[in-house]
Amino acid sequence: MPFIGYKTLIEEGDIVLAFIGRDAIKPIRINSEETLNTRYGVFPHKSMIGKRYGSQITSMKGYGFIHLLQPTPELWTLSLPHRTQIVYTPDSSYITQRLGITNGSRVIEAGTGSASFSHSLARTVHPHGQLFTYEFHESRFLEAKKEFEEHDIDVVINHRDVCKNGFEITNYDGGYLNADSIFLDLPAPWEAIPHLPKVINKNEKVGICCFSPCIEQVDKTVKALIEHGWTSIEMVEIQGRRWEARQSMKRDVDDAILRLKDVKRRKLEGIERKRKFYADNGDNNSKETENDSNDVREKRKLDEKEQTKVEKTEFNPFGRGMRVLEGDPKYNWLKVSKNEAELKSHTSYLTFAFKEAVANL
Amino acid sequence: MSEIKQDQDQFIVKPTLIQYGHHVLIKLPSSGLKVAHVTEGGSINLGKFGTFDLSGIVGFPFGQTFEVLDERKVRAVKSTTYGNVDTLEPEDIPTADANADAAASDVVMDETSKENTPEPKTLGEKIDYLKRLDVKSSETNRDLLDIGAGSQALTMEEIETLKKTSKGANIGEAIIDKLIKSHANFNKKTIHSQEKYLKRKQQKFLRRFTVEYLGSSQLLQYYLEKEASKVLDMSEETLGLLLSLGNIQSGGRYLVIDETSGVLIAALLERMRGSGEIVLLHENEHPNISALDHSNFPIEIRQKMIDSLNLLQFFEPESERVEFQEYSTEELKELKSNKRTHYHRRKQNAIDTNKAIDNAIKGDFDALIVATTLYTPTLMKRLIESVGGSRPIIIYSQFKEPLIETQLDFMNDLRILTPALHESKARPYQTIPGRLHPMMTMRGGGGYLLSALRVYPVEEGVTAVGRGLKKKQKFEK
Ligand SMILES: C[S@@+](CC[C@H](N)C(=O)[O-])C[C@H]1O[C@@H](n2cnc3c(N)ncnc32)[C@H](O)[C@@H]1O
């Protein structure tokens, strides 16, 4: 299984994520007849077979490099074909943890969408749990179904409008889904909530998370949850951030002052040298030299340039006028961090609630 | 590891009913937390809520709410919380519509509606009644007087008398009865503040608690409340992100350093539920994983799944292998019984340590998971080699700075791909229909994660990957 479990060597038929760059991760199925064409060159699949996952490989011409990675749900989230908006890892990981989803959990998810979260859920509940997922959009349903088959992921997927027709699956294990966790990522979760009692496990505490971008949806969802006996209702928002490590040159004010002094010293020295030169040799710009021959004037000009020149300074504490790479060991650096340029400031609101088991008193 | 060993009977099922032997989380209405070991004949003291015998909660499902009665007994009751703000009887939970009305328009109930209300009988009805009393609901609380001592119609003395005259669970109800009769300002409050007020009353006087399954999130929550430094201030959202980025699953083989008292290990065990291995590195004689004593993973499973080694044993395995001189059966017979016990203990230790060393030096771990206060840049230099190809490295730190340094190192290490520094924060909202807004305060801190993948660079010296790539690409054109 490529997405669940672990593999060491790349074999014919494997799904491999070709890591071309952070924003270019390409899923390929290894077929020794085929080649992968990237902007960094051409890579025959043959050259990948037998390599360890994680290997860097060289293009045919030997100039380009890519890495060959084993697919994981989290890498898939970064590389999958978008059919809809998707749930990203900061949200999905929190939902999973807060609902207590682990190996063995029985999870209902609607709608499947691009199956980003489905992959992650299927991995986490494997092998003793089960994921049930629902999608009413036919082509999305078909694509997701095909994807699960290709990725060898055990998911029960249904083509269904859950708001209209609920979650029951008659041909599944006597129809008992006995779900312990529910995730609703659809526009009107409040229409799906009334259908849940038939498919959740009545003998244990069940958790739900509804994922909605607008606060008006949350409001309706909360009302529906209250009405249907869900308790401990709480909405949260996840703010996921990425930081970038950088180095900022430690530019000491003492050095800045020393440099100013140095500039000043050299300027004065230049003036002094000129003064001395004019005193000894005359000045081309003065009345006295007006009648000198052109040769004499020309020579004086060259001599002036030569004799009044001030040495270029050695003192350049901040590398002015030079190309300095961040972290150059010749300078002092402060290790700092910076938010990524564009923040995902809002994805969706996460409304959590729980339903008590019916005690067998 | 291409095949996950799936030993069916190793699967540790998550329990749904409270049983003897479980460790459980007890949530008090004041949102205080306690961990209890449910033992036969055991009892637990809830401070001012009294003491009760744990036998009373056995057999009920997790999530069940109880009320402490007299004589150390408890009674199961329906949950009293529908949101993160209000605590009300289920019967009092405003229907979606009523609540929407209350929110949308400042409903002023008139005399007639009051008359139509039947005499309240149950506790729920009483609270309900309280809420319906001539409500002058106003968003601005213009007419609201201070709820403090001055406007409280019951004096502390009266409450004390009530406590004496009415027994056990009836106290709360008796007080509420009295309130109905005498609370002067009640009708001046907005519906919302009345609810808040009632919640406060209830929390104070109703001796209720809820018993929760003690999963990793609950364990973490417990520590965060009691002593956050023991879990390095790690938040639930950060823990969740760590487990996903770490691709933690049943059957994995993980190399771990855990300075969260074992909460991190508990979270891994919970995701794995009986299948897989953990090599746990530590810097003392024994690892500090005291939180695991509260987890519901049997000791045999922990011993089977966790191999612990100190850093010296891990980094210098050859000199740290335990040489053990086995005695012959005759020699053993000669030994005194206490010597023999000692001998067996030493033998077991040698076997365990050598087995752990053998396991650890195989390397190729499926993830490296680290939550430590050791300086991570130098730690990583030594640990990267033990991680399998394409497998994640996840480092947790309470502070960003050590991770920044580590990330800078990673950016220049060809064995590392896509180092990324993450921060995740859950912002809670007051969750009441019509009144949704972020809570005024939230927990700060929560820590940071550095994630990366371990890769194998092509041998013949490729320089800085990113830049190298671009240069070479120009070449190729
Ligand atoms: C935002 S997407 C879900 C994305 C998914 N969580 C992921 O991570 O890839 C929402 C999906 O729900 C589907 N959907 C909406 N209403 C539905 C309904 N009533 N029954 C089933 N599916 C529905 C839509 O077709 C859409 O594909």
Side-chain angles (χ1 to χ4, degrees):
Chain A
M1 262 183 284
F3 283 79
I4 301 175
Y6 298 99
K7 228 169 164 282
T8 306
L9 293 180
I10 297 170
E11 294 170 294
E12 179 85 15
D14 276 5
I15 296 180
V16 170
L17 296 183
F19 185 95
I20 300 156
R22 257 184 205 272
D23 306 314
I25 304 175
K26 206 171 172 211
I28 51 172
R29 187 177 287 278
I30 303 294
N31 174 346
S32 45
E33 310 284 288
E34 289 178 18
T35 54
L36 168 68
N37 295 302
T38 78
R39 57 196 151 117
Y40 296 134
V42 177
F43 301 85
H45 289 196
K46 256 204 183 98
S47 71
M48 305 177 188
I49 294 175
K51 286 258 159 42
R52 288 182 293 181
Y53 277 99
S55 294
Q56 188 183 36
I57 59 164
T58 319
S59 69
M60 287 242 279
K61 287 187 178 158
Y63 301 133
F65 302 92
I66 59 169
H67 285 93
L68 305 174
L69 304 178
Q70 189 191 331
T72 63
E74 284 64 35
L75 285 172
W76 181 246
T77 293
L78 301 177
S79 55
L80 57 78
H82 281 231
R83 301 182 282 268
T84 60
Q85 290 274 24
I86 65 166
V87 181
Y88 287 94
T89 305
D91 284 317
S92 65
S93 62
Y94 179 67
I95 296 162
T96 304
Q97 180 64 19
R98 178 144 176 190
L99 293 179
I101 296 172
T102 65
N103 171 14
S105 298
R106 304 176 66 80
V107 183
I108 282 178
E109 178 203 35
T112 316
S114 307
S116 163
F117 198 6
S118 317
H119 277 72
S120 166
L121 286 168
R123 179 265 325 272
T124 304
V125 306
H126 181 83
H128 291 278
Q130 184 65 57
L131 174 64
F132 305 93
T133 186
Y134 301 76
E135 173 59 59
F136 73 174
H137 188 284
E138 178 155 26
S139 71
R140 281 180 208 149
F141 160 75
L142 289 171
E143 292 207 41
K145 190 167 154 44
K146 191 166 134 241
E147 228 166 64
F148 293 137
E149 279 159 16
E150 283 176 1
H151 296 174
D152 201 4
I153 289 177
D154 174 23
V155 173
V156 178
I157 181 167
N158 299 273
H159 182 212
R160 175 91 61 91
D161 180 338
V162 296
C163 295
K164 274 216 189 86
N165 303 311
F167 300 88
E168 281 175 287
I169 311 173
T170 41
N171 59 359
Y172 179 85
D173 201 13
Y176 295 111
L177 306 194
N178 278 333
D180 52 51
S181 309
I182 319 287
F183 176 69
L184 299 180
D185 179 5
L186 32 80
W190 54 90
E191 291 176 4
I193 288 168
H195 298 291
L196 288 170
K198 287 190 174 150
V199 287
I200 61 175
N201 190 344
K202 299 259 184 336
N203 301 317
E204 69 176 304
K205 186 173 165 180
V206 173
I208 187 171
C209 174
C210 302
F211 193 74
S212 307
C214 303
I215 204 115
E216 288 77 10
Q217 291 170 300
V218 176
D219 200 70
K220 286 190 174 167
T221 301
V222 173
K223 284 174 188 158
L225 289 169
I226 293 172
E227 196 172 339
H228 290 89
W230 295 79
T231 58
S232 300
I233 303 168
E234 184 182 52
M235 185 265 269
V236 305
E237 196 184 356
I238 292 289
Q239 277 160 356
R241 283 190 175 182
R242 293 255 305 261
W243 295 87
E244 188 193 342
R246 295 283 301 271
Q247 302 195 68
S248 165
M249 196 189 284
K250 273 193 209 166
R251 303 194 317 112
D252 199 316
V253 65
D254 292 348
D255 285 339
I257 293 170
L258 281 179
R259 199 183 68 83
L260 282 170
K261 282 188 179 159
D262 186 59
V263 168
K264 186 174 166 193
R265 182 186 57 73
R266 285 169 43 246
K267 195 168 154 197
L268 289 176
E269 196 178 314
I271 293 169
E272 178 55 27
R273 284 192 187 190
K274 286 217 158 134
R275 207 187 49 75
K276 192 159 176 292
F277 179 86
Y278 298 146
D280 295 350
N281 308 294
D283 178 354
N284 274 352
N285 292 326
S286 68
K287 271 243 149 64
E288 290 86 67
T289 58
E290 238 172 25
N291 301 323
D292 289 356
S293 71
N294 269 351
D295 281 359
V296 171
R297 290 179 66 87
E298 200 52 35
K299 181 169 185 303
R300 187 181 293 121
K301 196 174 154 193
L302 288 173
D303 286 350
E304 178 183 342
K305 214 176 162 195
E306 183 67 21
Q307 291 171 32
T308 65
K309 202 169 112 191
V310 182
E311 298 302 296
K312 248 201 151 171
T313 186
E314 290 287 291
F315 189 70
N316 189 2
F318 310 137
R320 268 175 75 105
M322 290 158 57
R323 224 177 89 84
V324 178
L325 288 178
E326 206 171 297
D328 184 333
K330 286 208 288 291
Y331 306 90
N332 290 320
W333 299 90
L334 193 62
K335 290 171 173 145
V336 293
S337 61
K338 182 175 173 287
N339 263 170
E340 59 206 315
E342 197 181 281
L343 290 177
K344 266 203 195 70
S345 40
H346 177 67
T347 53
S348 270
Y349 295 112
L350 283 57
T351 308
F352 290 92
F354 295 88
K355 189 146 197 164
E356 269 178 65
V358 183
N360 256 331
L361 301 175
Chain B
M1 206 183 358
S2 52
E3 229 107 287
I4 295 174
K5 276 179 255 122
Q6 271 164 33
D7 202 346
Q8 289 294 324
D9 45 20
Q10 288 300 338
F11 176 57
I12 312 291
V13 183
K14 175 180 168 184
T16 57
L17 300 181
I18 306 163
Q19 300 292 353
Y20 286 120
H22 283 159
H23 287 92
V24 301
L25 186 78
I26 297 193
K27 271 185 155 163
L28 299 166
S30 52
S31 71
L33 301 175
K34 271 189 179 265
V35 167
H37 189 201
V38 185
T39 52
E40 279 181 69
S43 63
I44 185 164
N45 186 345
L46 300 182
K48 64 178 171 183
F49 295 99
T51 298
F52 72 93
D53 292 330
L54 286 161
S55 59
I57 63 171
V58 169
F60 285 94
F62 282 107
Q64 180 70 50
T65 299
F66 299 90
E67 190 169 284
V68 185
L69 305 172
D70 292 323
E71 282 136 31
R72 311 163 64 95
K73 292 214 156 28
V74 295
R75 140 179 109 94
V77 293
K78 278 186 94 178
S79 170
T80 54
T81 57
Y82 79 87
N84 57 355
V85 171
D86 290 310
T87 303
L88 292 170
E89 287 286 322
E91 303 94 305
D92 305 314
I93 291 168
T95 62
D97 284 343
N99 215 304
D101 286 344
S105 59
D106 291 348
V107 192
V108 178
M109 300 219 187
D110 56 21
E111 289 294 314
T112 46
S113 73
K114 214 163 74 182
E115 273 155 24
N116 290 340
T117 317
E119 180 76 9
K121 284 193 195 70
T122 65
L123 177 58
E125 281 168 9
K126 283 171 190 161
I127 296 174
D128 215 29
Y129 177 77
L130 269 177
K131 290 195 334 217
R132 282 177 215 278
L133 283 174
D134 195 18
V135 177
K136 272 206 197 88
S137 184
S138 92
E139 285 282 348
T140 55
N141 287 18
R142 230 175 343 180
D143 301 327
L144 187 62
L145 299 178
D146 185 49
I147 321 170
S151 61
Q152 171 136 354
L154 282 178
T155 63
M156 272 331 276
E157 273 160 65
E158 282 178 287
I159 290 172
E160 283 311 312
T161 326
L162 272 170
K163 276 190 184 168
K164 280 186 200 119
T165 53
S166 38
K167 284 206 152 183
N170 293 329
I171 295 176
E173 201 164 341
I175 290 170
I176 287 174
D177 276 346
K178 198 86 204 284
L179 279 173
I180 290 180
K181 293 208 186 87
S182 58
H183 199 286
N185 285 323
F186 201 83
N187 58 1
K188 295 226 176 78
K189 294 181 210 296
T190 62
I191 290 182
H192 176 54
S193 65
Q194 285 175 22
E195 286 174 3
K196 272 193 179 164
Y197 178 78
L198 281 172
K199 178 197 178 189
R200 240 177 287 158
K201 291 287 129 193
Q202 265 194 317
Q203 285 189 341
K204 219 158 154 193
F205 302 117
L206 298 184
R207 309 194 293 179
R208 298 196 156 182
F209 63 91
T210 306
V211 180
E212 300 284 359
Y213 168 71
L214 192 57
S216 61
S217 280
Q218 289 73 23
L219 202 54
L220 180 64
Q221 201 189 346
Y222 173 75
Y223 274 91
L224 282 175
E225 199 173 279
K226 293 283 178 281
E227 214 178 334
S229 63
K230 285 202 167 164
V231 288
L232 301 180
D233 199 36
M234 183 191 287
S235 65
E236 184 183 15
E237 48 274 29
T238 307
L239 174 61
L241 188 57
L242 176 152
L243 296 167
S244 284
L245 293 174
N247 195 23
I248 301 304
Q249 54 187 283
S250 165
R253 189 169 159 267
Y254 307 118
L255 182 59
V256 181
I257 299 183
D258 178 2
E259 286 178 33
T260 67
S261 307
V263 172
L264 182 54
I265 293 281
L268 294 177
L269 289 177
E270 185 178 64
R271 292 285 170 103
M272 297 157 85
R273 291 212 171 275
S275 167
E277 300 171 22
I278 292 170
V279 172
L280 176 61
L281 304 185
H282 57 91
E283 55 181 303
N284 297 307
E285 201 166 340
H286 300 288
N288 170 14
I289 44 175
S290 49
L292 281 191
D293 295 339
H294 303 309
S295 82
N296 287 307
F297 290 95
I299 187 85
E300 316 81 68
I301 291 297
R302 282 188 255 157
Q303 279 168 351
K304 188 194 82 152
M305 294 178 71
I306 306 172
D307 278 342
S308 42
L309 286 176
N310 69 34
L311 293 170
L312 179 62
Q313 291 167 325
F314 182 77
F315 288 120
E316 297 179 13
E318 293 320 321
S319 58
E320 288 300 309
R321 241 177 249 284
V322 185
E323 305 252 342
F324 188 75
Q325 195 65 50
E326 280 210 50
Y327 288 166
S328 65
T329 336
E330 285 80 63
E331 283 171 314
L332 260 180
K333 269 188 195 146
E334 305 277 291
L335 289 179
K336 286 210 198 95
S337 86
N338 63 338
K339 281 261 168 80
R340 206 178 304 142
T341 321
H342 183 66
Y343 167 86
H344 284 300
R345 202 179 306 134
R346 272 186 28 242
K347 182 174 167 185
Q348 193 56 47
N349 174 50
I351 292 171
D352 288 349
T353 306
N354 294 342
K355 179 185 141 250
I357 288 178
D358 288 340
N359 186 9
I361 58 178
K362 280 192 293 189
D364 276 335
F365 285 95
D366 290 324
L368 170 62
I369 306 289
V370 170
T372 186
T373 51
L374 285 171
Y375 182 58
T376 46
T378 46
L379 178 65
M380 283 306 128
K381 288 210 170 72
R382 283 171 170 270
L383 284 178
I384 291 172
E385 285 299 317
S386 298
V387 185
S390 195
R391 309 292 198 256
I393 296 172
I394 314 290
I395 313 170
Y396 169 82
S397 171
Q398 182 175 357
F399 308 111
K400 185 145 45 82
E401 289 70 13
L403 299 185
I404 292 170
E405 282 198 36
T406 316
Q407 186 179 18
L408 286 168
D409 282 359
F410 276 6
M411 282 156 67
N412 293 312
D413 193 324
L414 296 178
R415 299 168 301 169
I416 295 290
L417 194 67
T418 63
L421 183 44
H422 311 258
E423 179 187 4
S424 177
K425 269 208 155 71
R427 174 178 228 205
Y429 278 64
Q430 166 179 295
T431 313
I432 300 174
R435 292 164 200 276
L436 292 160
H437 66 69
M439 291 296 218
M440 301 300 176
T441 58
M442 60 188 263
R443 249 189 78 82
Y448 301 85
L449 295 174
L450 178 62
S451 73
L453 292 175
R454 158 83 156 107
V455 291
Y456 305 113
V458 292
E459 267 90 66
E460 58 292 11
V462 184
T463 46
V465 178
R467 210 166 304 127
L469 279 177
K470 269 185 213 128
K471 256 191 227 149
K472 305 268 173 174
Q473 184 202 4
K474 268 189 214 137
F475 253 14
E476 215 162 30
K477 275 181 185 163

